[in-house]
Amino acid sequence: MTLTALPLALAGAALFGLGVHALLVRPSMLRKVLAVNVAGTGVFLLLVAGAQRGDSPPDPVPHALVLTGIVVAVSATALALALIRRLQAPGPGRGGDV
Amino acid sequence: MAAAIWPVVVPLALALAAFLWPRGTRLLAGIGSAAVVAAVAALAARVAAGGPLRYAVGGWPAPAGITLAVDGLGTVFLAVTALVGVALTVYAMRYFRPEAGAPASAEGSFWPLWWGLWAGLNGLFVTGDAFNAYVALEIVGLTAVALVALARQADAVRAALRYLLVSLVGSLLFLLGVALLYGRFGVLDLGLLAGLMVAGPLPAVALAVMTAGLVLKTALFPLHFWLPPAHGQAPAPVSAALSALVIKAGLYLLLRFWFGVFEPLDRVAGTWLLAGLGAVAVVWGSFQALAAERLKLLVAYSTVAQVGYLFLAFPLLADPATAVLGREAVLYLALAHALAKAAAFMAAGTLLWAVGTDRIDDLHNVLPSFPLTTAAFALAGVSLIGLPPTGGFVGKWMLLEGMIAAGSWAGPAVVAVGTFLAAGYVFRVLVQAFRAEGEPGELRPVHRRPGPALEWSALALALAALGMGFLAPVLEPVLGAAGAAI
Amino acid sequence: MSLALDVFLAILLVGLAWRLLRVSDLFQAGVLFIVFGLLVAVTWLRLGAPDVALAEAALGAGVSGALFLNTLAGTGEHPRDAGPGVRLPSWFVAVPALVLTAGLTVLVAAQTGTPAPPSPAPDVGGKLANPVTAVLLDFRSYDTLLETAVVWIALVGVAAVGAVPVAPPEPPSPVLKGLVRVAVPVMILVAGWLLWQGTMGVGGAFQSAAVLAAAGILLRLAGLPVPPVDNGRLRSLLVAAGTAVFLGVAVGVMPAGGRFLEYPEAAKGALVLTIETAVAVAIAVILVVLFDAVGPGRRTSR
């Protein structure tokens, strides 16, 4: 990995730690969803930054992997949000604060 | 050989078909399960005859493309998934059949998700690529979560949401490991990775984070907290699929990575940590099961305990002297558990469905009304306890053999305590079922007649668990050969 | 100089994430999340990944942000950060999280300077000149096929939970309506161009899908009809079309002697474009339906 990519790779590590921490500490489900996304972004940064090569064009494989990861993350986020939304449905067994 | 891809393509196509043709779901279920079983059988035959199979999807061999790699281990998991899958399909066909006047919505949503789950599981068991494994894990995770939420009550949705977040974190930890490995070695193919692997801090950290993620997905203590609500609240066939099959997905990857890809590392300390957690899981899960008020929750806690046994075998696998015994133990325990746990959940589900309650204290007079279902639960329970001649007994026996050979005394002690507690919670249910209240011969008033599909599918799996014990002389060498991959 | 820029970017990213995870008003958190996503997109550009940057901006920031904010609209105004979720004491979690982060940091830093292993993707010239598209739709097309299944599964899951509500007629703002009427055709054209471009330059099915979805969401917000989403039968067909077409091509090339997903060289460009079109349309429709599902509106079972 090149030196130039180092700060961003470190940011990725930090984002992962922050995201996991927030996931476990913040009680709001909506916040947890944001936290998982932040953690995911951290992993993606590590993937791409870790495969930087000095002068030659970057390795396209991590780019493709991250693209796939982003799509998967959006899908999972949508499902999570729909579940949260469902908990708010009026009627028997109504959920509380989300 | 293209045989490797059909077990994934067929259920995926079925999922799409079920989605586009909601009226045809029952027809699809019947034909479909047969088709999936045929695909798995064909693949198994190929592997049995010709050894491990490699298939370069898209014509691009690794490392450029994704290669499917099917060996004995994968085949065994594929086979048990197929067996349980068929039984659950039969069960679900009856369970989700809309009653007169009731909406068909649950049925319409169940089938695409069910086939999707099966496709994801098969995809995991045939893949030879680390990132492909991640995508398959996500398919399994999302379908499982949606299936839990199918029950639609607030408790089920809450359990599903927690399960989703847990599943996502687990997958991310796994992906983090993959990212570290790719950064260092530049390949995603498992075979190539194994070849390039060297011991060092980075591989160790990669293994650690991947393990954390997979252990979360396998619900090993203390990361099991999400399982009892999810497995307890889901509709019965879903609970069965989750405990019997989805949990095994995590185990499969753990075996692949710990004893395949990461071989050059010194894993002894790690396996002892996992075994320690497993020991706690056995005791803790069994106590919780003993205290459970509802039958499905009891069975769910039993899963937490049974998962513990699987990890007790890990130190055996890391030591060449006991590796063979360890492999056979893990596979026997995992497979017997899959069969027995599915049967137990199916039986519990039938009772809940027919009688309207699954509070254990209310489950008296059950035997005369539902002899088949009670028998299924009893047989499954016997396998879970580990009494001869069931598959559960053979698995525990091998585990004990291995532990004694390794000179451990704590291990057998834990197994003994767990067995004793399991007997406790199984018999607690059976005593109730056999207890007659009111007039002798008086039958239990029922909401709905369960019918043969529900009762016989559960009994069939329970008999299969029993059969694993009887067939031990035949199965043992097969599983031993399969385990050679790890 | 550029290193300083990278350091600044890194600090900004972490700071923004810290803020959005701490601020108590969830609406603010949502907005900050969108800003964060855009900053991440800039980061991808910095790291030489324009395709990812486009996808991050459109999907990671745009669509995710829209979904999140619409959920807030659905569940009530600016809920405070309270809830039933697991809540561990901060210091208890902070220690292992810090250890993990520190460990990763050390590992990553130790990797600096070592030459990266060669890329596994072969340098094939030819019909798919964009290397990322080549990886996504040729070398590792199997992953992409499964990925389209994941998106579709999310939709099925959301429908399974029940109530994919019909969006209520928004009080039409004539300004918004007029703007949208002009913007949407342009966006559709842009989406089409991105799709076509994807084989040669920056772009592709997912970016195209995101732009199409954005167009659909705009139509929703303006109270205008969205025919592919509103018509139930068409909607079912379209959402399944991405995975179905992909799978169909994957299997369809086999009788001619190829393997699963092994395109015959002559037809590769056409097949890839067909797949990309189906996937783009399917994902776009799915995203709009998901947007509807989390928002406010009448509850109707599917």
Side-chain angles (χ1 to χ4, degrees), chain C residues 54-77:
Chain C
L54 203 49
E56 179 77 55
L59 287 171
V63 173
S64 289
L67 285 174
F68 187 83
L69 291 178
N70 211 22
T71 310
L72 283 182
T75 58
E77 282 301 304

Side-chain angles (χ1 to χ4, degrees), chain A residues 1-35 37-38 41 44-46 48-53 58-79 81-90 96-98, chain C residues 3 6-7 10 13-14 17-18 20-24 26 29 33 36 40 43-44 47-49 52 55-56 59 64 67-68 71-72 74-75 81-88 90 93-94 97 100-101 104-105 108-109 111-114 116 119-121 131-132 135-136 140 147 150-151 154 157-158 161 163 206-207 287 290 293-296 299:
Chain A
M1 182 185 56
T2 60
L3 182 62
T4 51
L6 181 61
L8 293 168
L10 295 184
L15 286 176
F16 185 75
L18 269 177
V20 170
H21 177 266
L23 177 71
L24 294 173
V25 170
R26 305 268 169 245
S28 157
M29 287 306 197
L30 285 166
R31 180 89 58 181
K32 290 183 196 283
V33 170
L34 291 181
N37 273 290
V38 169
T41 303
F44 299 156
L45 272 173
L46 282 170
V48 174
Q52 285 297 96
R53 296 172 303 183
D59 180 1
V61 172
H63 297 186
L65 300 185
V66 168
L67 239 163
T68 303
I70 292 175
V71 174
V72 168
V74 173
S75 308
T77 299
L79 183 58
L81 291 174
L83 287 175
I84 292 176
R85 182 81 182 85
R86 178 71 189 167
L87 279 177
Q88 295 289 306
D97 259 335
V98 191
Chain C
L3 188 62
D6 285 331
V7 172
L13 276 172
V14 176
W18 175 273
L20 84 92
L21 290 173
R22 282 197 82 104
V23 68
S24 55
L26 285 171
F33 179 71
F36 175 76
V40 174
T43 310
W44 296 131
L47 285 169
V52 185
E56 179 77 55
L59 287 171
S64 289
L67 285 174
F68 187 83
T71 310
L72 283 182
T75 58
D81 192 350
V86 164
R87 181 193 202 144
L88 293 177
S90 183
V93 178
L100 176 63
T101 307
L104 289 175
T105 306
V108 163
Q111 289 279 94
T112 323
T114 56
S119 166
V132 177
V135 174
L136 277 177
R140 298 185 64 94
E147 175 195 352
V150 169
V151 184
V158 168
V161 173
F206 300 105
Q207 297 86 342
L287 289 175
L290 290 174
V294 297
R299 322 220 109 242

Side-chain angles (χ1 to χ4, degrees), chain B residues 115 147 276 279 290 300 380 421:
Chain B
W115 297 119
L147 284 168
L290 214 46
L421 290 172

Side-chain angles (χ1 to χ4, degrees), chain B residues 138-236:
Chain B
E138 292 290 27
I139 292 181
V140 170
L142 291 186
T143 47
V145 166
L147 284 168
V148 171
L150 210 56
R152 290 192 187 183
Q153 284 107 21
D155 287 332
V157 176
R158 229 185 303 266
L161 185 55
R162 180 171 305 143
Y163 183 15
L164 178 57
L165 290 173
V166 164
S167 181
L168 288 177
V169 173
S171 307
L172 271 180
L173 284 166
F174 182 79
L175 185 61
L176 178 61
V178 174
L180 289 172
L181 290 176
Y182 186 78
R184 174 81 169 76
F185 297 111
V187 289
L188 294 167
D189 182 80
L190 295 178
L192 291 175
L193 211 49
L196 291 168
M197 184 62 62
V198 288
L202 187 138
V205 171
L207 180 59
V209 290
M210 288 171 103
T211 303
L214 292 172
V215 147
L216 189 53
K217 284 180 174 285
T218 316
L220 174 65
F221 187 96
L223 299 174
H224 67 286
F225 57 89
W226 57 270
L227 188 148
H231 291 205
Q233 303 276 358

Side-chain angles (χ1 to χ4, degrees), chain C:
Chain C
M1 186 56 221
S2 58
L3 188 62
L5 179 64
D6 285 331
V7 172
F8 179 65
L9 199 52
I11 294 177
L12 209 55
L13 276 172
V14 176
L16 203 51
W18 175 273
R19 186 100 187 99
L20 84 92
L21 290 173
R22 282 197 82 104
V23 68
S24 55
D25 185 332
L26 285 171
F27 179 76
Q28 286 184 24
V31 172
L32 283 174
F33 179 71
I34 297 178
V35 176
F36 175 76
L38 292 175
L39 197 62
V40 174
V42 168
T43 310
W44 296 131
L45 279 178
R46 189 80 192 101
L47 285 169
D51 302 85
V52 185
L54 203 49
E56 179 77 55
L59 287 171
V63 173
S64 289
L67 285 174
F68 187 83
L69 291 178
N70 211 22
T71 310
L72 283 182
T75 58
E77 282 301 304
H78 297 217
R80 314 292 301 186
D81 192 350
V86 164
R87 181 193 202 144
L88 293 177
S90 183
W91 54 264
F92 181 72
V93 178
V95 171
L98 274 174
V99 168
L100 176 63
T101 307
L104 289 175
T105 306
V106 166
L107 275 180
V108 163
Q111 289 279 94
T112 323
T114 56
S119 166
D123 205 0
V124 281
K127 302 216 162 80
L128 299 178
N130 176 349
V132 177
T133 304
V135 174
L136 277 177
L137 283 151
D138 197 359
F139 304 129
R140 298 185 64 94
S141 48
Y142 179 47
D143 267 346
T144 312
L145 168 64
L146 291 184
E147 175 195 352
T148 62
V150 169
V151 184
W152 171 73
I153 285 169
L155 177 79
V156 177
V158 168
V161 173
V164 178
V166 175
E170 290 282 335
S173 151
V175 174
L176 183 59
K177 270 183 137 157
L179 223 70
V180 168
R181 280 210 177 91
V182 172
V184 166
V186 174
M187 290 172 84
I188 295 180
L189 280 175
V190 169
W193 177 79
L194 275 174
L195 189 61
W196 179 257
Q197 251 292 86
T199 48
M200 296 161 283
V202 176
F206 300 105
Q207 297 86 342
S208 173
V211 173
L212 275 177
I217 291 176
L218 275 180
L219 284 172
R220 270 282 179 263
L221 292 174
L224 294 166
V226 189
V229 177
D230 295 332
N231 178 331
R233 192 65 199 154
L234 183 61
R235 179 177 68 220
S236 296
L237 281 172
L238 285 178
V239 302
T243 312
V245 167
F246 210 147
L247 195 58
V249 171
V251 173
V253 295
M254 289 175 81
R259 295 174 172 229
F260 185 73
L261 279 173
E262 191 177 6
Y263 315 113
E265 200 52 47
K268 185 183 285 198
L271 286 175
V272 166
L273 196 58
T274 309
I275 292 174
E276 286 205 280
T277 310
V279 167
V281 171
I283 292 186
V285 175
I286 291 176
L287 289 175
V288 177
V289 175
L290 290 174
F291 179 81
D292 282 339
V294 297
R298 279 185 297 114
R299 322 220 109 242
T300 49
S301 285
R302 203 168 204 258

